[in-house]
Amino acid sequence: NMSVFLRSGYCQTVALCDVDRWRLNVEGNPTVARVAKRNKWDPALLNDTFRTTDFRELLAHPRVDAVMINTPDHWHVPIALAAVKAGKHIACEKPIGLAIAHGRALADAVAESDIIFRTDSNFRSEPELFRTVSLVRTGKIGQIKKIRISVPIYPVPEPNEAPMPVPEELDYEMWQGPVQRQPYTEDRVHPRGKLGRPGWFCNRLYCDGMITNWGYHPADIVQWANDTELTGPVEVEGRADMPPVDQLYNVHGEFQVRYRYANGVELEFVGRKDYKEGESYMHFEGTEGWVRGWRAPNRIEAEPRSILSAEVKYEDFPFELRNEKTDFIECIRSHSRTLEDAEVGHRSSTVPQLGYIACLLGRKLQWDPVKEEFPGDDEANKLAAGHAGLPPWTIES
């Protein structure tokens, strides 16, 4: 995530924060050297940076104007809210928190501030997906009727659940942050001393799984293409393979969710184990044809094929194709709204969060996207207000 900032010509990295001290030791770090070589920047640019394991010290640094939040999902909203209070511009990894209410709190806080916010998702920056949305938004497939999107469910090995001593280089108390305290085991957090797929991705305390974490990407493309990025669906039902909640790896397995929007558009969202690494499609059916954008490998398909060569004028689709970090940088420089600000990020996060709640409850739900509540449904509203499936944590805590 630092690479575009370091190459931009407009940014300096003046501070680094990580609860794991080995990641802060960038000098001579072979991982840093490898990433720097691949992304064409000089690792010496990081040599004089301020280092801390406490994000509050980074936010208090006088030379920090903007922050990039790359934490596990359970820390996104608390750190972002603290950054808003500190007056820092924010690029924040998706999704916007683990609860719909927390996303609303962040979106409102940003709206009341003077900061620039960018939800960090790269799908709007992929040329094929940008083109897919432009064809849908300008009516090249006629009126939208149905949408289908997908994410892969990555296989994970059985974790070691036995408690282990906390590594001396890890501030485990800070890593846990706003959630319930649990004994340390490496498979709960991330591999020690190396990069690799982290265990927190598979535990409901820190992440809701692929449906919300990776699912944010195609859900955001749906919201953009359907011109509903400031609202959302009105009905949802779903099912998912759910392991016992008391297991260490307890997020969902394969799932299927169906939504209906107020404009009559139906959305199907599936997660499958047989999809390849990174594979995802966004398929839009209209009255005059269909178009499908793929991620990994990136490509675009349509029927009739003539849709692919249709002209899209800028005045009809007035958006600029550029890297998401570049969008953040340029909007800070011009003090303008990013392509995926906090309100958009919250609304796009809400779509898979609604699906997750429907899977947990196992029944059809009605959703009011204006009031952001399930009308007359206390059980569903409790899940929307707190952490889905576990006792809620408060923003203040």
Side-chain angles (χ1 to χ4, degrees):
N1 276 332
M2 287 194 298
S3 298
V4 176
F5 297 116
L6 289 167
R7 297 196 310 260
S8 73
Y10 296 111
C11 304
Q12 289 180 296
T13 299
V14 298
L16 299 172
C17 177
D18 202 298
V19 295
D20 204 336
R21 292 180 184 86
W22 79 264
R23 294 169 181 256
L24 293 175
N25 297 326
V26 296
E27 293 85 1
N29 187 319
T31 299
V32 173
R34 184 171 66 252
V35 172
K37 182 178 180 180
R38 183 176 69 238
N39 292 284
K40 300 178 181 178
W41 52 269
D42 185 356
L45 292 170
L46 302 177
N47 287 351
D48 297 326
T49 51
F50 171 75
R51 320 282 173 86
T52 181
T53 59
D54 190 330
F55 70 91
R56 293 167 294 189
E57 293 183 355
L58 183 145
L59 292 177
H61 195 289
R63 292 187 62 204
V64 172
D65 301 310
V67 295
M68 175 79 221
I69 300 173
N70 310 296
T71 65
D73 296 355
H74 71 292
W75 261 121
H76 288 179
V77 169
I79 293 179
L81 285 171
V84 171
K85 291 180 180 179
K88 311 297 185 182
H89 303 302
I90 303 167
C92 182
E93 282 278 8
K94 49 67 197 165
I96 304 297
L98 294 177
I100 295 171
H102 296 158
R104 168 47 55 210
L106 178 58
D108 287 349
V110 171
E112 294 168 4
S113 74
D114 197 38
I115 70 160
I116 304 302
F117 187 100
R118 168 72 203 216
T119 310
D120 194 74
S121 170
N122 64 311
F123 272 38
R124 294 194 186 199
S125 301
E126 302 288 350
E128 294 82 2
L129 301 182
F130 185 95
R131 174 67 172 167
T132 297
V133 173
S134 74
L135 293 170
V136 176
R137 282 281 292 263
T138 56
K140 301 302 186 293
I141 64 169
Q143 183 180 354
I144 311 174
K145 292 296 183 180
K146 294 183 179 180
I147 305 173
R148 296 199 304 272
I149 59 175
S150 72
V151 293
I153 302 297
Y154 296 145
V156 293
E158 288 295 318
N160 177 10
E161 300 198 29
M164 302 167 61
V166 178
E168 61 179 358
E169 70 272 13
L170 175 67
D171 186 342
Y172 184 52
E173 180 69 15
M174 179 64 82
W175 185 88
Q176 293 185 93
V179 300
Q180 297 97 323
R181 294 302 178 260
Q182 300 292 331
Y184 171 81
T185 182
E186 184 175 325
D187 285 346
R188 178 183 298 278
V189 185
H190 53 247
R192 186 179 182 187
K194 61 182 179 180
L195 296 180
R197 186 168 293 280
W200 62 260
F201 198 92
C202 301
N203 186 282
R204 294 193 212 177
L205 277 174
Y206 324 109
C207 176
D208 291 332
M210 291 294 283
I211 193 171
T212 61
N213 182 288
W214 223 86
Y216 173 93
H217 293 302
D220 178 65
I221 293 298
V222 167
Q223 289 282 95
W224 195 24
N226 195 32
D227 200 14
T228 52
E229 60 181 359
L230 298 180
T231 179
V234 296
E235 186 177 271
V236 57
E237 60 181 323
R239 60 172 181 78
D241 297 333
M242 300 296 296
V245 71
D246 57 354
Q247 291 183 183
L248 176 57
Y249 287 176
N250 58 13
V251 298
H252 63 84
E254 293 190 321
F255 65 86
Q256 183 175 23
V257 182
R258 295 183 182 277
Y259 305 80
R260 181 176 59 82
Y261 282 83
N263 61 3
V265 170
E266 296 180 354
L267 166 64
E268 180 184 44
F269 181 20
V270 298
R272 296 270 299 275
K273 291 181 179 179
D274 56 354
Y275 292 151
K276 298 176 182 177
E277 178 86 12
E279 184 179 49
S280 179
Y281 65 77
M282 287 126 275
H283 177 95
F284 301 89
E285 295 181 20
T287 54
E288 298 178 22
W290 60 261
V291 61
R292 182 188 302 129
W294 285 88
R295 171 80 169 38
N298 288 7
R299 64 187 187 276
I300 182 172
E301 303 165 338
E303 184 63 41
R305 286 186 56 82
S306 57
I307 292 172
L308 298 178
S309 58
E311 179 185 6
V312 175
K313 297 179 180 179
Y314 180 80
E315 55 264 33
D316 296 327
F317 188 68
F319 301 100
E320 183 176 351
L321 175 62
R322 60 188 180 189
N323 179 276
E324 64 278 3
K325 275 82 173 175
T326 300
D327 181 51
F328 179 53
I329 294 166
E330 292 299 329
C331 288
I332 292 175
R333 297 182 67 226
S334 62
H335 203 78
S336 56
R337 176 180 175 269
T338 66
L339 186 58
E340 225 166 317
D341 64 12
E343 182 68 30
V344 170
H346 162 57
R347 294 291 186 163
S348 292
S349 296
T350 296
V351 174
Q353 286 169 340
L354 290 173
Y356 184 52
I357 292 171
C359 288
L360 288 172
L361 296 179
R363 54 186 171 82
K364 183 179 291 186
L365 303 171
Q366 305 301 313
W367 175 249
D368 184 337
V370 177
K371 296 181 178 179
E372 293 188 271
E373 65 179 31
F374 297 95
D377 193 329
D378 292 342
E379 186 179 22
N381 283 324
K382 184 177 179 180
L383 296 179
H387 186 287
L390 287 171
W393 49 264
T394 64
I395 294 167
E396 290 75 19
S397 67

